[in-house]
Amino acid sequence: NAGVTQTPKFQVLKTGQSMTLQCAQDMNHNSMYWYRQDPGMGLRLIYYSASEGTTDKGEVPNGYNVSRLNKREFSLRLESAAPSQTSVYFCASSDRQFRVMRETQYFGPGTRLLVL
Amino acid sequence: AQSVTQLGSHVSVSEGALVLLRCNYSSSVPPYLFWYVQYPNQGLQLLLKYTSAATLVKGINGFEAEFKKSETSFHLTKPSAHMSDAAEYFCAVRNTGGGNKLTFGTGTQLKVEL
């Protein structure tokens, strides 16, 4: 049981290049999330998917797109990378419990992205 | 909207000393609160969570947190720090809007010295 996996672990891009960050979970969770982590700012939600087939914007969605490919996979795409998107990106997943507020999010190891 | 504030971006303690990491919340409804830990170059791991069942919540690795409504606080404590506790700690609150979203604090870096 690998939990939440992310690829790649590290990536360097030039301004204007595009790339897709991959995330997969093997816990049969319904909900998946993408966060970015910047020094002094904690984690901020980019996009989330409450269930397969649905996606919604989070706090900082500009410059990103997502795809919930199936229940296991949730990808994040940067169409035209900018230096402001240099960050560490975390994917997370959670399951739906009887009391939805009790859900715990499980995080992947992160992708470190540098945009030059 | 819900939010959390972590006081002190860096905290340094001696090994064996009390660890106290502060978190205050703002919420118009009873909050659901979480503490996560991040070790260097790793993802976040849940330490403990408050979901209104009990005000004193015990987590992993000897950590605990007490929910105090009168002080709007959810501070994280550990009686005796260990070198392995050195990490970054994040407080988070569940948003009441749909989608099970979390709002995180800015984090506190804990340093443990000999």
Side-chain angles (χ1 to χ4, degrees):
Chain A
N1 196 342
V4 180
T5 57
Q6 295 183 235
T7 55
K9 286 186 169 54
F10 182 73
Q11 184 72 45
V12 180
L13 291 179
K14 295 180 179 179
T15 297
Q17 287 185 317
S18 62
M19 79 161 295
T20 299
L21 281 64
Q22 305 287 352
C23 174
Q25 52 91 9
D26 62 2
M27 297 175 282
N28 201 35
H29 285 173
N30 289 299
S31 303
M32 298 184 74
Y33 314 81
W34 276 106
Y35 293 89
R36 61 177 289 172
Q37 182 181 26
D38 302 292
M41 302 190 74
L43 278 79
R44 292 179 293 169
L45 183 65
I46 305 171
Y47 270 94
Y48 67 100
S49 171
S51 61
E52 187 179 355
T54 68
T55 61
D56 286 285
K57 295 178 180 179
E59 182 184 354
V60 288
N62 291 344
Y64 305 95
N65 285 301
V66 291
S67 295
R68 183 75 184 266
L69 305 170
N70 48 54
K71 192 172 185 179
R72 287 188 65 249
E73 299 171 290
F74 189 39
S75 63
L76 179 71
R77 182 161 179 84
L78 287 71
E79 291 291 351
S80 179
S84 61
Q85 294 178 303
T86 293
S87 187
V88 182
Y89 291 86
F90 288 99
C91 178
S93 71
S94 67
D95 201 5
R96 190 168 299 143
Q97 298 186 8
F98 177 66
R99 291 282 299 274
V100 67
M101 288 297 195
R102 296 175 187 265
E103 294 181 23
T104 296
Q105 292 188 19
Y106 296 87
F107 285 79
T111 294
R112 282 160 176 74
L113 177 65
L114 174 62
V115 182
L116 301 174
Chain B
Q2 286 69 36
S3 65
V4 288
T5 301
Q6 291 185 244
L7 299 175
S9 58
H10 292 81
V11 170
S12 184
V13 300
S14 300
E15 190 174 34
L18 171 72
V19 175
L20 170 61
L21 304 181
R22 300 178 186 273
C23 174
N24 288 89
Y25 69 89
S26 173
S27 178
S28 57
V29 298
Y32 288 85
L33 297 159
F34 303 78
W35 275 101
Y36 280 86
V37 60
Q38 184 181 30
Y39 298 104
N41 299 314
Q42 294 186 27
L44 278 69
Q45 177 183 0
L46 181 69
L47 269 179
L48 49 82
K49 61 183 177 182
Y50 168 74
T51 57
S52 77
T55 56
L56 183 62
V57 182
K58 294 187 184 298
I60 61 172
N61 302 337
F63 283 93
E64 62 182 36
E66 186 173 8
F67 175 75
K68 291 187 177 180
K69 184 178 179 181
S70 61
E71 299 177 8
T72 62
S73 68
F74 189 56
H75 301 332
L76 182 70
T77 61
K78 183 174 181 178
S80 178
H82 191 272
M83 296 295 289
S84 61
D85 294 327
E88 190 158 21
Y89 293 79
F90 292 93
C91 182
V93 62
R94 170 90 72 235
N95 291 337
T96 54
N100 187 33
K101 294 176 286 187
L102 293 177
T103 296
F104 285 86
T106 53
T108 297
Q109 187 72 46
L110 176 65
K111 182 179 180 181
V112 182
E113 299 174 316
L114 288 171

